[in-house]
Amino acid sequence: MTPTILIRADASLSIGSGHVMRCRTLARELRRRGAYVTFLCRRQPCDLISLLEQEFSVLALPELPLSATPSPEGEPLHGRQLHSAWLGCSQDQDAADCLQALAKAGIRSASWLVMDHYGLDATWEIHLLAGLAAAAPPRLLVIDDLADRPHQADLLLDQNFFAEATEGRYAGLVPEQCRQLLGPHYALLGPHYAQLHPLVPPRTELRRVLVFFGGVDPSNLTVQALGALLAPELAHLAVDVVLGLQSPHRQAVAELVARRPHTTLYDPLPSLAGLIARADLAIGAGGATTWERACLGLPSLVVAIADNQLPFAVALDQVGAIQLLGDVASVFAEQIVQALLPALQGPWPRACGHGLTDGWGAARVVTALLGLEPPLQLRPATAADEALLLRWANNPDVRANSFSPAPISPADHQRWFRAGLADANLLLLIASDAQGCPLGQIRFDRQPQPAVEAPREAMIDLSLDRCARGQGLATELVRLGLQAMEQHWGPGTEAVAEVLAGNTASQATFVRAGFAVEVIPLVPPPSRTATRWRWRPAASPCSAMPPAG
């Protein structure tokens, strides 16, 4: 049965094009996986509905005047009040309009409802879910980055980075059972980024600069950046500029580009991946393009052009993933010059956030929505998997079920990982879907040959990405891993797992995979109660197990 997906997205330009672009990326991946996608968007002046209509069915809600008038106290609207004003009506009215449009189109049910709008919260979600509950009610994915209002979500996506605060921002705002996909690991990027992520070589010197502040750039930051790049000491740099034809500053930018040698002005492109891949440094905004630049390892000078960009831009600056110049009101050409000059002398390469995202975020989100794109397959880990494996290892759920619950430092992980790649007694495998999207890992650590005549043991460790849990994939991962272990070391190795008593999910996985519990005590005893499980090749049914459904 074809999954039906409804997406309520903000198609206005009041906050730029970010909502539409990330929802379009998600919709494209859903369509590739066989889903039927319908958008619900309210008509507004200069909206992007026509852009969506080029590819998808769009149910347009009637246009209403947007209210950005002062509050009753005479103060300008900010934050939650401003976002509600962008909706143009009450949440109940918006939900009623959505249900009316769906009924007129003959749509009375859906597999998933996706909501990406700063003006909507649990009030709207409850109303709409109830209106679609004639059969089985749809499940709800909320896309957000503000963490300022409650949601009734089954799944929540926030692709932004807030350092140590990332995991806890939605505490008390979503139901306890809501699965949260948090951070740029789940950033909604086009397919070119995952393809190019392992291929783009590290930058070695500054020769080419990419300037992009969005298609419209209402704050005219492109002119500020070009003014900086006109400085004589920067004249040798090649510069690529991207700006939309609808920008009010297009003519001024075109005149500056004509004055500056080695400079090219581009209209908006289907993808920035090509320009990002060939640039050595970017000057741009702190929105979704942040993750495109990070995926392809491009060092960036960043200006936060909206209030919601500043918190995660500060967090990225603090960990060295970008260089934050400031917000719109505080950045001028001379400041950009002063930031560029040190880059000419080095050190190089500059920090670029390359490990934040591998470009597979959209595929992971769709895996959470529709399940695995089969088959599950294994490949050997490579040096490019270092950041990915550290992220999985430091997932809070993984640490809570580990004998050593403290987070692993990047330095310690790097030493272990690089030694492990050269260790003949360590088999480290990455699990991926049919397209190559990494979804988990399984590791076998072969122990020294015992002094007495006994089978050699390999300690087993595995974990699944948060997007792939709850789908019955762990047993299939173990089955494939055991096959790979036998092929790698031969049939004389037994697999052993040590599992904390409270980790009932892993206990059940090893039962289904044909492991037998051992009654002997663990030596040395762990700090917490655990169970030891053993798999013996001759006794295990794993080789005959059918693939998980």
Side-chain angles (χ1 to χ4, degrees), residues 26-47:
L26 176 62
R28 286 172 171 172
E29 180 64 13
L30 284 163
R31 183 179 58 190
R32 190 192 66 78
R33 288 286 308 273
Y36 182 77
V37 179
T38 298
F39 278 86
L40 290 149
C41 302
R42 190 170 295 283
R43 290 204 180 277
Q44 295 172 4
C46 301
D47 61 44

Side-chain angles (χ1 to χ4, degrees), residues 54 56 83-84 110 126 156 169 262 280 314 327 374 376-377 420 426 447 458 479 492 496 498 508 528 549:
Q54 295 174 17
F56 300 99
H83 300 149
S84 297
I126 292 170
L156 181 134
R169 296 179 72 234
H262 321 300
D280 302 302
V314 169
D327 60 16
L376 190 68
Q377 50 197 1
L426 184 68
Q447 304 302 296
R479 185 186 75 85
V496 174
E498 295 177 354
R528 291 182 281 176

Side-chain angles (χ1 to χ4, degrees), residues 85-140:
W86 287 340
L87 188 60
C89 62
S90 71
Q91 294 193 62
D92 285 338
Q93 179 63 52
D94 191 271
D97 288 347
C98 287
L99 291 171
Q100 183 178 7
L102 289 168
K104 187 176 180 180
I107 300 173
R108 305 190 186 281
S109 64
S111 307
W112 280 88
L113 172 64
V114 181
M115 191 278 284
D116 187 0
H117 198 302
Y118 290 157
L120 301 175
D121 61 23
T123 300
W124 180 92
E125 295 156 9
I126 292 170
H127 190 153
L128 208 73
L129 290 172
L132 290 169
R139 302 181 73 191
L140 174 64

Side-chain angles (χ1 to χ4, degrees), residues 291-309:
W291 315 125
E292 297 174 348
R293 297 187 301 250
C295 181
L296 302 187
L298 182 60
S300 301
L301 305 180
V302 173
V303 181
I305 63 172
D307 291 344
N308 66 307
Q309 292 181 6

Side-chain angles (χ1 to χ4, degrees), residues 1-7 22-39 51-58 114 190-191 362-363 365-367 369-370 373 435:
M1 183 175 178
T2 301
T4 299
I5 313 294
L6 307 177
I7 302 180
R22 65 191 182 189
C23 285
R24 185 179 67 171
T25 298
L26 176 62
R28 286 172 171 172
E29 180 64 13
L30 284 163
R31 183 179 58 190
R32 190 192 66 78
R33 288 286 308 273
Y36 182 77
V37 179
T38 298
F39 278 86
L51 181 69
L52 292 172
E53 287 176 331
Q54 295 174 17
E55 301 181 54
F56 300 99
S57 171
V58 180
V114 181
V365 175
V366 173
T367 296
L369 296 174
L370 303 182
E373 183 173 10
Q435 296 296 313

Side-chain angles (χ1 to χ4, degrees), residues 325-344:
L325 299 180
D327 60 16
V328 171
S330 64
V331 175
F332 300 96
E334 182 55 34
Q335 184 182 354
I336 298 173
V337 172
Q338 295 306 312
L340 284 169
L341 289 177
L344 296 176

